[in-house]
Amino acid sequence: MKMISKISKLALALSFFGSSVFAQSLDDAKKAIDAEQYQKAKSMLKNLTVTQSSKDENFFYLGWVYLLQDYSDSAKTVFNKGIAVNPKSALNYAGLGAAALVDKDRATATNNFNQAVSLAGKNSKPYVYMGEAYLLNPVNDKVSAADANAAIAILNKGKAINPKDAELLIALGDAYRSQLKSNEAYENYAAATALDPKSAHAKVATGVLWKFANNFEDSEKQFKEALAVDPNYGPAYREWAETDVRWALTDPKMASVKVKEATDNYRKFLSLTDMSEDSRLRYADFLVYAGDWKTLQTEATALSKTSKNLKLYRYLLYSSVENKDYPAAITAGNTWLTKADPKRVIARDYLYMGRAQIASGQDSLGIAALRKAYDLDTTQADVYSEIAKSFYAQKKYEKAGDAYHEYLQKSNKGTLNDYFREGFSYYFAYDPAKPNADTTLLTKADSAFSYVQQKASKPIGDVSLYRARVAEYKDKDRNNIKGLAKPYYEQYISIMTANPPTDDRSKRALGEAYSYLGTYYEYKEKDEAKAAENFTKAREVDPANKQAASYFQRKGGAKGK
C-alpha cells in the first residue's frame, strides 16, 4: 500500500501538469478515455466544454466518462447540455439512452436510441456507443443474451453504414465475445486490426478473447503486441493481470508465478493511469476478481475515508464477509443497501449480507436477505442450501427439509449429500410424542433416503440405517409388529459387518439393528433361538444396549450374565 501511496502522489502531480498541457485536443481526450485515464480525460473535456462550448461532441465524451465512472446522473446532465448546444446531436441522444440503460429504464433508453438513429445519418459513432451501452450492465460479470443481442443488432446497423469504423468493429467483437461466440468476435477484431494495425485496443480485445478460451500464451502475445504499439497503454497491463489470475486458477502449477505477475502487471496499469479515485476503484474490482479479500478490505477502508462513492461499501461488505469480520460487513452492508440507488443493488449484495447476518446470529434477517438474492437473480438457487443449513442449526428441521427440497428442485448443483440432508431434516422434524404427529414428514424423509440409495454407486450404511429408523417409527407396537424396518436393518448389518466398525457410534447403531431383529423374532416370528442370537450379537457389539440387557434380564439364568 505504501507503493500505491507513492505512485498516487506522483500521478497526482503529473495530472495537474497534464491538464494544462493537453487540454486542447478532443483526440487527446479520447485517447485518454481509451487508456482508462478517466480523470485526465475529464479534466481535458471540462476545459473543452468551456473553450469549445459550441461543439456537442465535447459534452458527449465528458458525459461518457461520467457514465464509465458510474455517475449516471452527472452523465445525463452533461448529455442534456450537449443537446442544448446542438438539438440534433445524435451522440448525446445515444448518451442519454446509455444512461437510461444503466438506470434500468429501458423505455427511456429506447426512445433516446430511436432519436439518435433518426439523427445519425451516415455517422457510425452514435451506433458504437449505443452498442457499448448494452454491454455496460453485466450481472455477475455476464452480459445477458438479450442485451448482447440488442448490442449486436444496433452495431450491425452501424457497420452497414460504415464497415471501416474500427472502433465499431471492436465493440461488435466485444458483444459477440460476451456470448462466447468466438469466431464472430475474432472476425471483427481481425477486421479492426486490418483497418488500423496500430490499434492497441484491438490487440488487447483479441488477447481477452484468447483468455476466455484459456489460450494464455496467445493471450499474452497480444498484450505484448499492444504494448509494442504503445508502451503506455494501461488496459493491456490490466487485462494481462486478469489473464494471469485466470491462468493461476486454471493451472495450479503456475499459480504462485502468475499471481505475482498479476500483481506486478496491475501495479503497472495503476502507474499508467492518473491514480485517481476511479483508478483505485478499478483496482478494487481487480481484487474482487482475484479474490484478494484482505487487500480489498484494507484498500476499500482507506478509500472510504476520503471518497463519497457508495460502491466502496459493497467492496467492504464482500471483503469483510470473506475475512469473517461480520460486524464490519453488516455495517457496510446496511450503508450500501439503504443508501445506494435500488437500481444499483444486485443479488450478490443480498447474498453477502445474508451470510453476514446468519454468521452473526441474525438468522431471520439473513434468511430474508438470501431469499431476496434469489428473487433478484433466480440463478442464485444455491442460497437455499445456505437457508437450509441456517434452519437446521436453529433446529427448525421441517423448514430445513423444505429449503433443501427447494434447493434440489431449483439448482443443478445438488448432490446426494444434499438429498441425504433433506431426509435427515425431515426425519428429525417428526416428533412421535405429539398426539397428531405429521407422518408425511416420514414419507418425505424416506423418499429422500430412497433416492440416495438408488443413485449411490455403492451401498451407504447411514442411508439404510435411517430408512430403517423411519420404518420403525411406523412399527412401534411390538404386540403387532409388522417388520417394516427389517429389510433395512439387515442391509445395514450386511454393510457394516463387511468391515466391522471401530467407532462407538457405528457400534451402537449395529447393536440397534441386531436388537430390532431380536424383537422381531421374539414377538413376530416367535422364534426364541433367532431372538437370542440377535440379542447376543447386539450385546457383543454394544454391551450398553438396553434392549439386549432387558431381554436377557427377562430370560434370566446364564443368558443374563
Side-chain angles (χ1 to χ4, degrees), residues 49 64 73 107 157 160 166 201 213 221 227-228 232 253 304 312 353 377 387 406 419 447 461 480 492 516 526 532 556:
T49 59
W64 190 254
D73 288 342
K157 287 181 180 179
H201 191 162
K221 181 180 177 182
L227 291 167
N232 296 319
K253 293 179 182 178
S304 68
L312 287 167
M353 189 62 170
D377 179 6
I387 290 170
E406 197 158 6
Y419 279 96
S447 176
N480 188 29
Y492 183 71
Y516 175 86
K526 312 298 183 184

Side-chain angles (χ1 to χ4, degrees), residues 80-139:
N80 279 316
K81 287 181 179 179
I83 290 170
V85 167
N86 178 9
K88 295 184 178 181
S89 175
L91 269 176
N92 280 290
Y93 276 109
L96 285 176
L101 269 187
V102 168
D103 289 341
K104 300 180 182 178
D105 183 354
R106 290 186 175 272
T108 301
T110 299
N111 288 337
N112 282 300
F113 285 161
N114 288 340
Q115 184 73 355
V117 169
S118 70
L119 296 169
K122 298 296 183 180
N123 182 3
S124 59
K125 287 305 174 189
Y127 291 90
V128 174
Y129 294 100
M130 286 187 280
E132 288 188 359
Y134 284 105
L135 308 181
L136 290 176
N137 264 337
V139 176

Side-chain angles (χ1 to χ4, degrees), residues 40-313:
K40 178 179 177 181
K42 196 157 56 175
S43 177
M44 292 178 178
L45 290 162
K46 284 181 178 180
N47 186 56
L48 286 170
T49 59
V50 174
T51 60
Q52 300 176 10
S53 58
S54 62
K55 292 187 176 181
D56 58 286
E57 299 99 321
N58 295 331
F59 291 93
F60 167 75
Y61 285 103
L62 178 57
W64 190 254
V65 174
Y66 278 123
L67 206 55
L68 293 175
Q69 293 178 316
D70 215 19
Y71 299 121
S72 61
D73 288 342
S74 297
K76 283 184 279 189
T77 299
V78 177
F79 293 139
N80 279 316
K81 287 181 179 179
I83 290 170
V85 167
N86 178 9
K88 295 184 178 181
S89 175
L91 269 176
N92 280 290
Y93 276 109
L96 285 176
L101 269 187
V102 168
D103 289 341
K104 300 180 182 178
D105 183 354
R106 290 186 175 272
T108 301
T110 299
N111 288 337
N112 282 300
F113 285 161
N114 288 340
Q115 184 73 355
V117 169
S118 70
L119 296 169
K122 298 296 183 180
N123 182 3
S124 59
K125 287 305 174 189
Y127 291 90
V128 174
Y129 294 100
M130 286 187 280
E132 288 188 359
Y134 284 105
L135 308 181
L136 290 176
N137 264 337
V139 176
N140 295 328
D141 299 322
K142 293 181 180 179
V143 177
S144 71
D147 280 348
N149 289 335
I152 290 166
I154 197 72
L155 288 165
N156 273 318
K157 287 181 180 179
K159 186 176 179 180
I161 291 170
N162 181 10
K164 295 185 177 182
D165 185 335
E167 187 181 11
L168 185 147
L169 294 173
I170 294 170
L172 185 54
D174 291 346
Y176 280 121
R177 188 189 72 214
S178 74
Q179 302 305 296
L180 305 180
K181 294 181 178 180
S182 301
N183 290 337
E184 294 90 338
Y186 180 76
E187 288 173 3
N188 282 283
Y189 292 150
T193 302
L195 287 168
D196 183 5
K198 295 294 185 181
S199 172
H201 191 162
K203 294 180 188 298
V204 168
T206 306
V208 174
L209 181 65
W210 296 144
K211 174 184 75 173
F212 286 113
N214 289 348
N215 184 351
F216 302 119
E217 289 85 355
D218 281 344
S219 186
E220 283 192 350
K221 181 180 177 182
Q222 291 294 323
F223 301 141
K224 289 176 181 178
E225 287 184 8
L227 291 167
V229 170
D230 181 358
N232 296 319
Y233 192 66
Y237 283 112
R238 177 179 53 74
E239 292 292 357
W240 194 349
E242 293 181 4
T243 299
D244 284 330
V245 172
R246 186 180 175 96
W247 196 340
L249 294 172
T250 305
D251 185 355
K253 293 179 182 178
M254 298 292 290
S256 60
V257 172
K258 290 300 169 184
V259 167
K260 182 182 183 302
E261 187 174 275
T263 303
D264 291 342
N265 280 326
Y266 213 92
R267 283 174 178 161
K268 289 175 184 175
F269 164 69
L270 286 173
S271 72
L272 291 169
T273 69
D274 40 39
M275 277 306 297
S276 64
E277 173 187 314
D278 298 287
S279 296
R280 293 176 71 185
L281 284 168
R282 285 299 297 267
Y283 178 48
D285 285 331
F286 168 75
L287 294 172
V288 172
Y289 180 75
D292 188 348
W293 305 111
K294 185 176 180 180
T295 304
L296 177 61
Q297 188 174 3
T298 300
E299 178 72 3
T301 300
L303 265 172
S304 68
K305 294 176 181 177
T306 57
S307 172
K308 294 181 180 180
N309 194 313
L310 285 171
K311 192 177 181 182
L312 287 167
Y313 293 98

Side-chain angles (χ1 to χ4, degrees), residues 233-434:
Y233 192 66
Y237 283 112
R238 177 179 53 74
E239 292 292 357
W240 194 349
E242 293 181 4
T243 299
D244 284 330
V245 172
R246 186 180 175 96
W247 196 340
L249 294 172
T250 305
D251 185 355
K253 293 179 182 178
M254 298 292 290
S256 60
V257 172
K258 290 300 169 184
V259 167
K260 182 182 183 302
E261 187 174 275
T263 303
D264 291 342
N265 280 326
Y266 213 92
R267 283 174 178 161
K268 289 175 184 175
F269 164 69
L270 286 173
S271 72
L272 291 169
T273 69
D274 40 39
M275 277 306 297
S276 64
E277 173 187 314
D278 298 287
S279 296
R280 293 176 71 185
L281 284 168
R282 285 299 297 267
Y283 178 48
D285 285 331
F286 168 75
L287 294 172
V288 172
Y289 180 75
D292 188 348
W293 305 111
K294 185 176 180 180
T295 304
L296 177 61
Q297 188 174 3
T298 300
E299 178 72 3
T301 300
L303 265 172
S304 68
K305 294 176 181 177
T306 57
S307 172
K308 294 181 180 180
N309 194 313
L310 285 171
K311 192 177 181 182
L312 287 167
Y313 293 98
R314 171 185 278 165
Y315 293 138
L316 283 171
L317 168 61
Y318 293 1
S319 58
S320 298
V321 170
E322 295 288 350
N323 294 326
K324 295 182 169 55
D325 185 357
Y326 300 117
I330 290 174
T331 298
N334 281 330
T335 300
W336 170 250
L337 293 173
T338 57
K339 293 185 178 181
D341 185 333
K343 295 175 183 177
R344 313 300 292 164
V345 177
I346 60 175
R348 195 178 186 185
D349 302 335
Y350 283 104
L351 178 64
Y352 272 99
M353 189 62 170
R355 288 172 178 170
Q357 289 168 327
I358 289 172
S360 301
Q362 301 174 21
D363 293 86
S364 59
L365 291 175
I367 289 168
L370 292 178
R371 291 188 189 280
K372 181 69 173 176
Y374 179 78
D375 290 342
L376 288 175
D377 179 6
T378 55
T379 66
Q380 298 288 332
D382 292 357
V383 300
Y384 281 97
S385 176
E386 298 186 46
I387 290 170
K389 290 173 185 175
S390 176
F391 278 134
Y392 192 87
Q394 299 174 70
K395 298 184 178 181
K396 296 178 179 179
Y397 297 120
E398 183 175 357
K399 289 184 176 181
D402 290 344
Y404 275 122
H405 184 76
E406 197 158 6
Y407 167 63
L408 291 164
Q409 295 298 308
K410 293 178 175 178
S411 173
N412 59 3
K413 298 180 183 178
T415 66
L416 291 183
N417 280 334
D418 295 309
Y419 279 96
F420 183 80
R421 293 184 186 108
E422 178 192 356
F424 205 62
S425 300
Y426 283 130
Y427 172 78
F428 280 105
Y430 178 73
D431 184 356
K434 289 184 177 180

